[in-house]
Amino acid sequence: MMDGSARGPGPVGEPTLHLHPLRRCNLACAHCYASSSPHATDRLEPRAALQAIRQAARWGYRRLAISGGEPLLYPWLGELVDMSAGLGMRSAIVTNGLLAGRGDKLAVLKRCDTVAVSIDGLAAAHDALRGRPRALAGVLAALDSMVDAGIHVSVVCGVSRLNASEIEEIAGIASSHGASALQLHVVSPSGRARDSMLSHLLGERGMQELYLVARVLAGLYRESMHVSVDLVHRDVVAALPGLLYGMPVSHAAQRAPAEVLGVLVVEPDGNVNPVCFGFGAAYGLGHLGSAGLAPLWTPWVAGRYERLTALGGQLWERARRREGASLLNPSDVLGQASQGPPVSQAAVRLARPSCVTAADGAY
Ligand code: SF4
């Protein structure tokens, strides 16, 4: 599921548990970072998923973002949403929308704080990316049903060269169907997109144009719909090392996990990662066992956290030297860098000893 999304009302940077309870999907989109499909079988047992939510709330995570695969295919979705509400977490679901108009699904979605629906272009582009004729028509019908049911809906759009010229029309569609937010996410070479979208990814110029279009649309729709794009100028990144985990948070081992790691990701195979789905295994927290998240934190913060901040520090230095693209999505850049050879111990030792406080960036 394309998720840059799922940010409902509330502060940006709110500590979030990204839970991917299953990898199965009713679609097999060309740009899917999770390589989901109807044939994917990885799935969290409900006990493990509920336990992870309970423990994450104890660790200070205030928001639950449920993605997939297609979360509406997870039989225990309602239990996940209800548990997060009972723990005082806000919940957001990211869905492709095709099942969202069904009565039983609407009943679950009504219990969420936000539902993000993917729209990736006008009919031709959206249906082609999704590999399903009339997919957009189905999504729009579901959007109407959700808005009629009083659900707070946002639209998330994965932007590539295939749809970059259609953003203004997509904004018009989102607004006219009652979305309160439009989140533009630049498609990155992750998962299936690594093979099928390489020649369609936005380059530097395309990102600059998207950034400007988003600024204009944000002004145009300021009364009715929040428009955002998940790109940050590298000068901002240079000023806020926490955006790339570029410096360790001071006294990390004594802090609540949510103060150190703003995004905790639980994947359908039980792997737990920092930052984003599919993050490099050398930086991961480990695998959920019968005790859930509990045993994973202390060894991670004492070891691999340093490796993550060394990797972030290298990227941060590039931003400070004004190298590379002028606009970037910090999570995606870190995620791609994490796929390379792990940062060496020598680099970890050389990493800056200075620390930031947890408030120095959206980390
Ligand atoms: S709908 Fe979302 S999860 Fe399903 S294949 Fe498409 S991008 Fe992946």
Side-chain angles (χ1 to χ4, degrees):
M1 188 58 51
M2 303 308 299
D3 179 13
S5 68
R7 200 191 69 220
V12 175
E14 194 173 23
T16 298
L17 171 65
H18 275 253
L19 185 69
H20 298 256
L22 81 175
R23 210 157 62 79
R24 190 160 79 89
C25 187
N26 47 347
L27 297 176
C29 305
H31 57 327
C32 183
Y33 66 63
S35 301
S36 293
S37 78
H39 311 294
T41 54
D42 293 338
R43 185 174 85 173
L44 290 175
E45 290 303 317
R47 180 185 164 281
L50 291 165
Q51 184 186 44
I53 294 170
R54 206 179 309 115
Q55 292 173 328
R58 218 174 290 141
W59 282 4
Y61 290 91
R62 308 296 347 132
R63 180 170 163 270
L64 172 67
I66 307 176
S67 185
E70 170 51 59
L72 292 176
L73 293 175
Y74 191 65
W76 304 279
L77 182 63
E79 281 92 325
L80 305 187
V81 170
D82 292 344
M83 170 168 277
S84 67
L87 293 166
M89 296 171 90
R90 293 187 314 107
S91 59
I93 285 182
V94 192
T95 171
N96 61 41
L98 290 180
L99 301 170
R102 282 174 31 179
D104 56 331
K105 307 300 183 191
L106 276 176
V108 174
L109 294 174
K110 278 180 84 164
R111 310 203 300 263
C112 295
D113 293 292
T114 311
V115 177
V117 179
S118 304
I119 295 182
D120 292 323
L122 302 181
H126 180 90
D127 295 358
L129 277 164
R130 301 272 156 187
R132 173 75 61 93
R134 296 194 49 74
L136 181 63
V139 172
L140 296 181
L143 249 182
D144 293 342
S145 300
M146 286 191 279
V147 171
D148 288 347
I151 295 170
H152 180 94
V153 181
S154 63
V155 165
V156 56
C157 175
V159 185
S160 67
R161 290 181 183 175
L162 298 174
N163 60 9
S165 63
E166 298 175 349
I167 301 303
E168 288 166 63
E169 286 103 323
I170 293 168
I173 290 171
S175 175
S176 65
H177 285 268
S180 57
L182 170 65
Q183 299 156 14
L184 301 168
H185 168 77
V186 176
V187 173
S188 62
S190 313
R192 194 176 292 123
R194 203 176 293 138
D195 298 321
S196 57
M197 295 292 289
L198 263 190
S199 59
H200 303 304
L201 300 177
L202 290 187
E204 169 86 3
R205 178 80 184 269
M207 286 197 257
Q208 289 171 348
E209 287 173 359
L210 176 65
Y211 190 80
L212 291 174
V213 168
R215 294 291 298 266
V216 170
L217 291 173
L220 276 177
Y221 288 99
R222 66 182 175 280
E223 304 289 345
S224 58
M225 184 172 74
H226 179 75
V227 179
S228 60
V229 60
D230 57 7
L231 290 171
V232 184
H233 195 277
R234 68 181 167 213
D235 290 350
V236 175
V237 173
L240 292 172
L243 287 172
L244 283 169
Y245 295 87
M247 279 188 188
V249 170
S250 58
H251 308 295
Q254 281 82 54
R255 292 178 181 270
E259 290 185 60
V260 178
L261 198 53
V263 175
L264 182 71
V265 185
V266 175
E267 304 190 357
D269 58 3
N271 279 328
V272 182
N273 275 321
V275 185
C276 61
F277 188 96
F279 209 75
Y283 305 89
L285 280 80
H287 194 270
L288 289 180
S290 58
L293 294 172
L296 304 182
W297 181 255
T298 302
W300 185 82
V301 78
R304 291 185 172 188
Y305 175 55
E306 205 176 34
R307 191 183 285 171
L308 173 66
T309 57
L311 178 70
Q314 291 176 350
L315 298 170
W316 180 55
E317 284 295 340
R318 279 175 57 82
R320 278 156 52 95
R321 290 197 298 265
R322 313 197 89 204
E323 292 174 5
S326 61
L327 292 164
L328 56 145
N329 176 328
S331 298
D332 282 349
V333 168
L334 258 176
Q336 285 159 43
S338 76
Q339 305 301 325
V343 174
S344 66
Q345 279 309 313
V348 170
R349 278 194 297 276
L350 279 173
R352 294 173 171 266
S354 328
C355 291
V356 292
T357 66
D360 278 342
Y363 52 91

